[in-house]
Amino acid sequence: KAGVTQTPRYLIKTRGQQVTLSCSPISGHRSVSWYQQTPGQGLQFLFEYFSETQRNKGNFPGRFSGRQFSNSRSEMNVSTLELGDSALYLCASSLGWLPNTGELFFGEGSRLTVL
Amino acid sequence: AQTVTQSQPEMSVQEAETVTLSCTYDTSENNYYLFWYKQPPSRQMILVIRQEAYKQQNATENRFSVNFQKAAKSFSLKISDSQLGDTAMYFCAFSPNAGKSTFGDGTTLTVKP
């Protein structure tokens, strides 16, 4: 079974631009979560999608948005990029329904650098 | 809101020795899951071990075991016979039956030859 796939793996943007990151979950998984990982802040939860609906949301500004498609693939978008948005963005998938053990399966991440 | 605290930003251990990573959490939930994830350098995060809060018995996976103290809200990870491949950042995580997972800030473990 294929794992969680994130694209692109690396990207460089400049301040003010926008970026879209993609995540394909493990087949059969309907929940996709996004996390921002930075050296100083650890793993910060962005949002979770289940069956095309945002089920949970973290404390990030409205510049961060996401969506999920009917095939469970998810995208996240960051608009008006700031230097502080430089981070590793991790996508994780899980079954999403009971029994929900909460175990997450992570992709390799998309490393965003904002210049 | 749940919080997860890992009080040891960095730790080191000699190969073949035992090391314990600490984790405490705060929640008002009664049913939940706790996890330790491992993130090797430049590689993806993987699950090390999982503990269900309703189980009193501590989880064990080969050289990895936990000490789960529900009343104290403590969930430490013990790595026995440490190997060079155990060098990684370790994250403690909390997950209620439904909803997002909350992660600690991580502990960077270095296994020295």
Side-chain angles (χ1 to χ4, degrees), chain B residues 3 12 18 24 32-33 38-39 41 43 49 53-54 57 66 71 76-78 80 83 85 87 91 102 112:
Chain B
T3 59
S12 64
T18 296
T24 58
Y32 49 87
Y33 296 86
K38 168 185 176 181
Q39 187 180 40
R43 293 175 59 186
I49 198 166
Y54 64 86
Q57 186 173 7
V66 299
S76 61
L77 174 69
K78 185 171 82 171
S80 304
Q83 301 176 359
T87 291
F91 290 93
T102 301
K112 298 180 178 180

Side-chain angles (χ1 to χ4, degrees), chain A residues 19-59:
Chain A
V19 65
T20 299
L21 309 178
S22 178
C23 173
S24 294
I26 291 172
S27 178
H29 285 190
R30 290 166 60 185
S31 170
V32 173
S33 301
W34 289 89
Y35 290 83
Q36 181 194 65
Q37 185 177 13
T38 58
Q41 300 293 322
L43 255 74
Q44 300 295 315
F45 173 77
L46 282 155
F47 24 66
E48 180 207 8
Y49 286 87
F50 176 76
S51 292
E52 302 178 68
T53 300
Q54 187 179 85
R55 190 159 68 172
N56 287 288
K57 187 177 188 303
N59 296 323

Side-chain angles (χ1 to χ4, degrees), chain A residues 4 11 14 27 33 39 57 75 79-81 84 91 101 103 112:
Chain A
V4 178
L11 65 167
T14 57
S27 178
S33 301
K57 187 177 188 303
E75 289 182 346
S79 62
T80 319
L81 284 166
C91 168
T101 67
E103 179 179 349
L112 170 65

